[in-house]
Amino acid sequence: YKSLSDDSRGSLERTGMLFHVMGKRYGKIVEIADKLQSLLKSLPGTEVGLIDDQVFIQDVDITNLAEDKQYELGLKRIVIDFNIWR
């Protein structure tokens, strides 16, 4: 989803996103989720995208981190909910 900010970020555009990390071994998905969180925290002040269509990232905030089990699939899951501000 996208929206214009109504908080202290002024007129920046917000794009909400989710990462779903799934696997059979809990320790492995925690390791991957930790690396994704570190990556997200390193993005502010960088440009991402294709050479002709880059976006400058002003800020990133992680709004929720949830864990559950997908019983039908026999997998554990971590969901990282975050916003990119540009």
Side-chain angles (χ1 to χ4, degrees):
Y1 56 88
K2 291 184 180 182
S3 69
L4 293 179
S5 170
D6 58 357
D7 71 1
S8 63
R9 292 177 181 93
S11 63
L12 297 179
E13 183 178 295
R14 175 183 67 176
T15 303
M17 298 183 166
L18 297 171
F19 281 143
H20 293 259
V21 182
M22 299 175 75
K24 291 188 181 230
R25 292 187 11 225
Y26 179 75
K28 189 64 175 175
I29 66 169
V30 168
E31 179 184 329
I32 293 168
D34 287 346
K35 288 180 181 180
L36 286 171
Q37 289 180 78
S38 293
L39 171 69
L40 289 171
K41 291 175 184 176
S42 73
L43 289 177
T46 63
E47 289 184 348
V48 296
L50 302 172
I51 293 172
D52 295 337
D53 189 25
Q54 293 202 349
V55 173
F56 183 76
I57 297 178
Q58 297 283 342
D59 198 7
V60 174
D61 61 349
I62 298 172
T63 57
N64 193 25
L65 188 64
E67 300 178 10
D68 69 0
K69 184 169 183 177
Q70 298 295 302
Y71 292 100
E72 309 82 38
L73 302 173
L75 299 173
K76 295 163 182 63
R77 176 174 71 165
I78 296 176
V79 179
I80 304 170
D81 187 357
F82 62 99
N83 294 308
I84 293 179
W85 299 88
R86 54 191 187 110

